Amino acid sequence: MFVVGITVFLIAFGDHTNRTNFKIYSADKKQCVTIITQGKMRYFINGEHNSVPKTEYIKIDKSGIPLIGDEIGICWKNENYEWEIVNHQSKIIDVKLDTLKFKFNTSWEKDKFGIPRTTKYTQPNCGTIGLLNMKTYDETIILEN
């Protein structure tokens, strides 16, 4: 009976957020990036997908990212790219995207003191997502699980 009670409690009040397969949209929903995490590997895929395709993705190793610091920044249609994404402390494993259209960064830009800052991703058409709580920190991007 105790086990049943615990199970019911976890189902009713547990965290059901999907951190392994979700989509980030621009505010107008015209652009999308699918993010799929499989173990220590994470895929940033251009467009809407339910699984990892053969092309149109960047594969990173996320093993160097602490859970509390796992945050993604994205800018849509900046001066040079369709989208530009950062996942701080990641390591690029494989690139199967057109790097003239899409850009991926493995660290936040640093200020004059060498401190990583999210400033670039607080501009119009940009935003950040904390993966620990799966929250966006502004109204410029849409997160869907």
Side-chain angles (χ1 to χ4, degrees):
M1 196 62 143
F2 178 73
V3 172
V4 172
I6 294 289
T7 303
V8 168
F9 179 81
L10 289 174
I11 290 170
F13 299 105
D15 180 5
H16 301 291
T17 305
N18 183 349
R19 291 178 182 86
T20 59
N21 190 339
F22 58 95
K23 294 169 181 60
I24 303 171
Y25 291 92
S26 58
D28 61 8
K29 285 199 110 175
K30 290 184 178 177
Q31 291 182 280
C32 177
V33 173
T34 301
I35 299 173
I36 297 176
T37 303
Q38 298 172 339
K40 295 183 186 281
M41 297 298 133
R42 180 173 287 153
Y43 298 83
F44 291 83
I45 308 162
N46 186 46
E48 295 178 349
H49 296 274
N50 293 318
S51 61
V52 179
K54 294 186 187 291
T55 62
E56 295 295 309
Y57 68 81
I58 292 178
K59 178 181 178 181
I60 62 139
D61 178 347
K62 68 172 200 78
S63 62
I65 305 171
L67 182 60
I68 197 162
D70 198 359
E71 190 172 1
I72 295 169
I74 187 165
C75 288
W76 304 101
K77 295 228 184 229
N78 65 13
E79 57 277 347
N80 298 314
Y81 301 101
E82 295 293 313
W83 52 252
E84 184 173 346
I85 296 177
V86 63
N87 197 185
H88 189 66
Q89 294 181 309
S90 63
K91 179 181 175 188
I92 295 174
I93 302 297
D94 195 9
V95 178
K96 295 204 176 187
L97 272 179
D98 182 346
T99 56
L100 297 176
K101 289 184 178 180
F102 309 101
K103 184 174 182 184
F104 186 86
N105 300 304
T106 57
S107 63
W108 300 109
E109 289 184 355
K110 295 180 181 176
D111 66 14
K112 65 181 180 179
F113 303 106
I115 299 170
R117 301 283 184 192
T118 62
T119 309
K120 177 178 186 172
Y121 299 91
T122 59
Q123 299 174 36
N125 274 350
C126 299
T128 59
I129 300 164
L131 271 67
L132 182 61
N133 59 10
M134 293 301 285
K135 286 192 173 187
T136 60
Y137 296 109
D138 34 49
E139 305 289 323
T140 57
I141 54 177
I142 300 166
L143 177 66
E144 286 186 5
N145 281 352

